Amino acid sequence: MSGNANLPKLDACGCCETGAPPAAIYNRPGQPALSYRLGTHAAFFERMVAALSFYAIPDGPNQGRRPLLALTTRGREDFSIALVDACAAVADVLAFYQERIANEGFLRTATERRSVLELARAIGYELKPGVAASAFLAFLVEEAAGAPRSSTVAVGTKVQSVPAPGRLPQTFETVEQIDARVEWNRLRPRMFRPQLLNRDAEQLLLTGTNLNLKSGDLLLIVVDESGIHGKARRISSVRIEQEAGRTVVSLQDGIRPPPPPPSPPLQFGVPVLSLLPFTAVSLSQNIVFRQWRERDLSAMIAIQRWQPYEVVVAAPPPPPPPPPLPTATTGVFALRVKAGIFGHNAPQYISLPLTDRTARYPNDWDTTPWEIWKDPNKTISNKNWDDASLYLERSETGILANSWAVLERPAEFKVYRTNQVTQKSLGAFSISGKATGLTLVREDGSPLGEKPITFQVRNTTVHAQSEPLELAGVPIDDPVAAGSVDLTLGGMVLGLRVGQRLAIGGELVDTAGVTRQEIITLKDIIHAGGYTTLTFVDPLQNGYVRKTVTLNANVSRSTHGETVARQVLGSGDGAQANQRFQLKRPPLTFVSAQTPSGAASTLAVRVNDLLWREAASLYGLDPRAESYALRLEDDGTTTVIFGDGQQGARLPSGSENVTASYRAGIGPEGQVAAGSLTLLQAPPLGIRSASNPQAASGAEAPEKLDQARGNAPRTVLTLDRIVSLRDYEDFARAFSGIGKARAAALWKGEVRKVHITVSGASGNPVAPGSDLLNNLIRAILASRDSRDPVDVQSYGGQYFNVSAKLVLDARYEAAKVPAAVEETLKAQFGFQQRTFGQGVSAAEVVAAIQNVAGVVSSDLDQLYYVTDPNGPAQAAPASFLESKPASWPSASGNIEPAQLLLINPVGIALTEVKL
């Protein structure tokens, strides 16, 4: 029954009820919208028309009379009924907007950005304005003759991107000043180490490509001056490497030498206060052959009043030994002369007349050692020739005294030194000719003595005329491995500082032809032996082919946005409270910062040339506080609001005395690709070019409604203080530039660590060493109370493929339904909808497919990880794909971040099946 007191009580059957009463309004929890309407047009009209006959005058002399009893018409064409109809329409409109207003009063159901913004402000939360992308810029200093060897890249140096098709160019500006040097343009890792001489080596690297060596030639390897360790080796093969300028010689019966022993540690140098001469000897003793930290060496150079560039030029790494002299006593030698002993081609002893055999030559020279051969006019004795140890079968003018000679007979070599070389005409054994005589001594220089040699004349070959060969450096072919924390450069590089960033890159070890670059931060710089070793704060993310690696130390941080140098906002009026001014170049740039919100504006407001301070809110400010507050409007414009004299100071009166400088540009548009920031708008003197080694990252668009609904309550939960594990997660998630976060407490034995896995706002990984990651870590450390160590890592990406058969409803267009299924899968299993550690089941995939209009039935054929080599060959799809949370394996000291399992956008295979 109606609750109107002016209407009569009706019978219990309700047959005379004056229209249906409004239904009770009940809203279940968690709904996206509130039901708050009293009724619709039809309900209002019905109740109002039903009440016409029962309306009674409540007061006055005519109290109780019902003046509308005579109004019996109910046709809508009647003016009275039309008026009721109009009133019902008004009530309908009012009820509709009342419901809308009620929805806008709650954070969950509000649909207007302004409503969410105001509701958030009620709990001290401002919608995140977004944040600009950041990028590292690597500069190259001009190397042309006469150009300055260094240049200063000031703050605000502008570099513009070369836009991709359909995109607009974006401007980045440096946010730190650097001193760039020409020697820092392209640093290379150490590529060679000295080759240790080993007489049993299986291979030798020799300098030069025209050494005239061939298979079968003999090389002599002498490892010390005494020659005791000299050894003759036969060449098995020769390979010439023209690009490297060396010859690789393989030797017979060689063995692979052990790795070189580590160099003995050098003593750390201490700056010398007294002045030293600038000589090669002084530099070697005080710099090259000592170990220096960069700060100490810089102090040393400054005290000595030396120029760093001259020190590098005058004190390079220890050079390889100079090419050996022709009479060198150690090293590798090619024996250019190969000859027999004089008399080796004499007639057979048995062929001589008997008188000659018994009288002149009683011994059989076919088997007699060569030391008894001598002038036949003299008495035969067991001694050497009078003026030489032996004579060669011919004259060789290229053999020098104090060179090496090797006597060879089958399966045996013997090394000698040539003490003296003579030329003589000989006649003996029925032969004669010009011959070269060699006076030989033992390897250590001692005389031969009696019966020193037992080589036979006919089976002995003499190798002489030793030519020293220069050893080439051994190439260091080991890759610069992923996870490396140090790298030795190919020389001494001065001036680098701890905390300086470098760009390192090259061809990836495991992906031929693909190059990558990353940014490293220096932890320490050590100079030793003429080389510089760099130690990194974080290990390398990629492994690189060593010969392709280059480093650039002229690196500066930059952020997206272009500076508006000075804009006049207007004139102050001391009689006006809360003056407002609008910036003329939206959107205002916010950059990543070490604040609870994760962002800070680039706006600087000056009043009468004095800088005023930005405040989060004017509420609670001192009446004299020279501060202002920012309000970001829905259209992207920014309003600057000043105080009213009670909450913040009023502006002083003046003519155009309120000015601002700021930067304009923000959001994902600034996430330009690697190598696209190349257009220097005003190149600094001496700078030739610039480029970004990595893609710009860390950007986020202004906060959307759905994000604000989830983020605004987090400020009440954390109050910018981190206490619980959940606070870590909420704090990181509300940080500008962060899209997802998951906190976990990990244990390794009795050690507890708080680990936070994060992702960028657009789903991209957060690069180690980036401004976003560093600012997040600093903000967490500044806001927490716990002493537990904190580790923040970007997530581990994992993807899966799907293959399914579809039976489609014939009434739908055949081409549109599979496309709709693919879009549904990408949306439901994409970045926005998935969380860290969330697995995927086959039932989820089937349900997503079946919910698409036009799909009659489906059959899931394959569901597997992209990295699973056996995935496509599986007979049945996996029932569940696991996504691992963060873990701390006991076998490794490294924490594995949580995985984010997403669908592979190009791994969806759908096939239509006809029934």
Side-chain angles (χ1 to χ4, degrees):
M1 295 180 63
S2 173
N4 192 332
N6 294 322
L7 297 178
K9 300 298 182 180
L10 303 179
D11 52 37
C13 69
C15 60
C16 296
E17 183 62 74
T18 58
I25 298 175
Y26 173 73
N27 287 284
R28 291 182 299 168
Q31 295 301 302
L34 291 176
S35 176
Y36 199 71
R37 297 187 65 168
L38 294 176
T40 62
H41 173 271
F44 286 131
F45 180 76
E46 179 184 355
R47 289 200 295 268
M48 292 171 69
V49 169
L52 288 178
S53 300
F54 298 96
Y55 175 74
I57 298 175
D59 299 312
N62 296 319
Q63 181 179 2
R65 290 185 58 193
R66 292 186 286 173
L68 299 178
L69 282 175
L71 182 62
T72 58
T73 181
R74 294 296 183 262
R76 293 178 183 264
E77 68 279 2
D78 183 80
F79 173 78
S80 301
I81 303 304
L83 180 61
V84 172
D85 190 7
C87 292
V90 171
D92 180 73
V93 172
L94 292 176
F96 172 80
Y97 282 105
Q98 185 184 39
E99 185 178 67
R100 299 270 55 79
I101 293 172
N103 275 271
E104 296 302 313
F106 295 90
L107 189 62
R108 182 188 293 275
T109 59
T111 59
E112 298 293 330
R113 180 180 175 84
R114 179 61 180 270
S115 301
V116 176
L117 186 146
E118 295 295 345
L119 289 169
R121 284 176 182 167
I123 57 175
Y125 181 81
E126 286 286 340
L127 267 68
K128 292 193 292 185
V131 66
S134 63
F136 292 100
L137 295 175
F139 295 89
L140 292 180
V141 181
E142 182 59 61
E143 299 176 352
R149 299 197 60 81
S150 63
S151 177
T152 298
V153 180
V155 174
T157 300
K158 297 182 180 181
V159 182
Q160 195 176 71
S161 66
V162 177
R167 303 289 295 274
L168 295 176
Q170 305 296 324
T171 300
F172 280 67
E173 293 183 358
T174 57
V175 295
E176 62 182 1
Q177 178 175 306
I178 65 167
D179 294 324
R181 303 184 185 182
V182 66
E183 58 266 28
W184 291 352
N185 280 352
R186 295 181 184 86
L187 305 178
R188 299 298 304 275
R190 186 174 182 180
M191 298 301 299
F192 296 93
R193 59 176 173 81
Q195 184 177 182
L196 299 180
L197 198 58
N198 186 340
R199 65 176 190 169
D200 295 317
E202 65 175 356
Q203 193 177 75
L204 293 175
L205 305 182
L206 305 174
T207 300
T209 58
N210 297 311
L211 301 182
N212 193 26
L213 298 176
K214 60 184 181 297
S215 178
D217 287 353
L218 205 65
L219 292 182
L220 176 63
I221 303 175
V222 183
V223 297
D224 59 21
E225 293 184 358
S226 70
I228 295 175
H229 298 292
K231 189 173 184 179
R233 301 289 303 283
R234 185 86 60 189
I235 296 176
S236 62
S237 65
V238 177
R239 184 177 76 254
I240 297 176
E241 298 179 351
Q242 292 288 350
E243 292 184 2
R246 64 174 178 253
T247 298
V248 181
V249 175
S250 298
L251 304 175
Q252 293 180 0
D253 303 324
I255 60 174
R256 184 175 297 275
S263 301
L266 303 178
Q267 293 182 345
F268 272 101
V270 178
V272 180
L273 300 181
S274 59
L275 296 182
L276 300 173
F278 188 75
T279 63
V281 174
S282 176
L283 292 175
S284 296
Q285 292 177 348
N286 294 283
I287 293 181
V288 175
F289 295 110
R290 287 186 179 272
Q291 185 168 267
W292 289 89
R293 285 193 169 87
E294 171 59 33
R295 63 176 184 272
D296 296 333
L297 183 57
S298 297
M300 170 72 173
I301 293 173
I303 291 172
Q304 298 301 322
R305 303 173 187 173
W306 295 339
Q307 295 298 322
Y309 172 70
E310 294 178 342
V311 171
V312 173
V313 172
L325 299 173
T327 57
T329 56
T330 62
V332 178
F333 301 88
L335 302 170
R336 300 300 188 183
V337 169
K338 179 180 179 180
I341 299 176
F342 180 80
H344 77 93
N345 54 350
Q348 292 287 335
Y349 179 81
I350 196 65
S351 66
L352 295 179
L354 182 61
T355 55
D356 289 342
R357 278 185 283 166
T358 57
R360 299 186 61 187
Y361 308 113
N363 297 310
D364 184 352
W365 61 74
D366 292 334
T367 58
T368 301
W370 59 263
E371 69 266 19
I372 69 168
W373 287 56
K374 57 175 297 178
D375 190 324
N377 297 321
K378 296 182 179 180
T379 304
I380 295 176
S381 69
N382 235 9
K383 295 183 179 180
N384 301 331
W385 295 83
D386 293 342
D387 51 0
S389 300
L390 62 82
Y391 280 93
L392 303 181
E393 61 178 324
R394 60 182 181 273
S395 176
E396 293 287 351
T397 59
I399 301 176
L400 301 177
N402 201 34
S403 62
W404 292 102
V406 175
L407 270 60
E408 175 191 4
R409 70 177 183 182
E412 185 178 359
F413 296 98
K414 196 163 185 66
V415 180
Y416 295 95
R417 294 283 295 278
T418 58
N419 189 37
Q420 186 177 358
V421 180
T422 58
Q423 305 292 334
K424 187 174 183 180
S425 296
L426 296 181
F429 320 120
S430 302
I431 58 174
S432 63
K434 189 80 169 180
T436 295
L438 304 180
T439 301
L440 302 180
V441 295
R442 297 182 183 277
E443 298 169 307
D444 59 359
S446 62
L448 294 180
E450 296 292 331
K451 295 185 179 179
I453 303 173
T454 59
F455 283 70
Q456 304 297 324
V457 173
R458 295 194 187 277
N459 66 356
T460 300
T461 302
V462 179
H463 300 269
Q465 191 176 329
S466 61
E467 177 185 326
L469 303 176
E470 182 181 354
L471 287 174
V474 178
I476 303 175
D477 296 325
D478 298 336
V480 179
S484 300
V485 294
D486 55 37
L487 180 67
T488 299
L489 302 180
M492 183 181 292
V493 180
L494 300 180
L496 299 174
R497 66 186 186 279
V498 173
Q500 184 173 350
R501 294 181 177 87
L502 284 76
I504 181 173
E507 182 179 328
L508 297 180
V509 172
D510 53 359
T511 312
V514 177
T515 60
R516 287 283 189 275
Q517 294 191 76
E518 59 184 285
I519 301 297
I520 56 175
T521 303
L522 295 184
K523 182 179 181 181
D524 201 1
I525 306 105
I526 300 295
H527 307 285
Y531 295 95
T532 296
T533 298
L534 307 178
T535 304
F536 317 139
V537 173
D538 298 308
L540 293 180
Q541 298 298 305
N542 304 307
Y544 304 100
V545 178
R546 180 176 289 269
K547 66 180 180 181
T548 68
V549 171
T550 59
L551 299 93
N552 185 314
N554 302 317
V555 175
S556 175
R557 292 190 304 116
S558 69
T559 55
H560 181 212
E562 185 174 4
T563 296
V564 179
R566 186 177 185 273
Q567 175 188 316
V568 176
L569 295 181
S571 302
D573 183 358
Q576 185 177 348
N578 297 124
Q579 277 190 271
R580 296 169 175 254
F581 300 95
Q582 194 175 86
L583 301 184
K584 298 178 181 178
R585 288 274 306 274
L588 174 64
T589 297
F590 285 76
V591 296
S592 181
Q594 183 186 333
T595 62
S597 66
S601 76
T602 57
L603 176 65
V605 175
R606 294 182 181 273
V607 180
N608 293 329
D609 294 332
L610 296 179
L611 184 66
W612 283 39
R613 183 176 60 88
E614 179 184 335
S617 172
L618 296 176
Y619 178 75
L621 291 181
D622 186 274
R624 296 169 296 178
E626 296 178 337
S627 301
Y628 61 90
L630 296 181
R631 288 294 179 261
L632 303 179
E633 309 300 336
D634 290 344
D635 58 359
T637 59
T638 302
T639 301
V640 183
I641 307 174
F642 295 90
D644 59 359
Q646 299 297 322
Q647 311 287 339
R650 295 192 183 194
L651 283 175
S653 298
S655 176
E656 296 186 346
N657 62 335
V658 183
T659 61
S661 61
Y662 56 96
R663 293 170 60 192
I666 202 170
E669 294 80 7
Q671 294 191 149
V672 296
S676 61
L677 290 170
T678 56
L679 302 178
L680 276 166
Q681 296 189 11
L685 178 64
I687 296 297
R688 185 177 69 192
S689 63
S691 180
N692 56 316
Q694 293 179 315
S697 62
E700 184 176 12
E703 192 169 32
K704 298 179 181 179
L705 297 184
D706 291 339
Q707 295 171 319
R709 290 190 182 100
N711 289 336
R714 291 190 174 99
T715 59
V716 180
L717 295 175
T718 64
L719 296 176
D720 294 340
R721 297 297 299 170
I722 299 175
V723 179
S724 67
L725 189 65
R726 178 63 182 272
D727 290 343
Y728 281 100
E729 186 172 313
D730 291 339
F731 188 94
R733 178 60 190 85
F735 201 82
S736 294
I738 298 297
K740 295 182 185 295
R742 174 62 61 86
L746 303 180
W747 291 86
K748 188 175 184 181
E750 297 181 356
V751 178
R752 180 182 187 266
K753 178 177 287 190
V754 176
H755 181 272
I756 307 173
T757 304
V758 296
S759 72
S762 57
N764 54 305
V766 180
S770 64
D771 287 351
L772 176 58
L773 188 63
N774 291 338
N775 288 329
L776 173 61
I777 294 173
R778 296 190 188 105
I780 290 174
L781 296 178
S783 302
R784 70 179 185 139
D785 295 324
S786 172
R787 295 184 179 181
D788 291 331
V790 177
D791 187 54
V792 183
Q793 280 183 287
S794 186
Y795 69 95
Q798 181 71 289
Y799 294 88
F800 67 92
N801 289 340
V802 171
S803 176
K805 296 184 179 67
L806 306 179
V807 177
L808 306 181
D809 191 330
R811 297 173 297 172
Y812 288 83
E813 292 187 35
K816 290 185 177 181
V817 176
V821 171
E822 184 171 338
E823 291 302 318
T824 299
L825 291 175
K826 289 179 181 179
Q828 186 164 333
F829 299 98
F831 173 76
Q832 296 298 334
Q833 301 299 322
R834 309 304 288 182
T835 61
F836 295 128
Q838 181 182 5
V840 173
S841 67
E844 284 184 277
V845 177
V846 172
I849 295 174
Q850 288 293 148
N851 286 334
V852 176
V855 176
V856 176
S857 64
S858 62
D859 182 14
L860 185 63
D861 291 333
Q862 293 177 333
L863 178 65
Y864 60 94
Y865 296 111
V866 170
T867 55
D868 185 355
N870 299 321
Q874 291 178 357
S879 60
F880 184 79
L881 298 180
E882 180 186 9
S883 180
K884 297 181 180 178
S887 61
W888 198 351
S890 58
S892 170
N894 300 324
I895 293 178
E896 298 294 335
Q899 293 180 342
L900 184 62
L901 183 58
L902 306 175
I903 195 168
N904 180 14
V906 296
I908 303 174
L910 303 174
T911 306
E912 181 182 357
V913 177
K914 300 290 186 180
L915 295 179

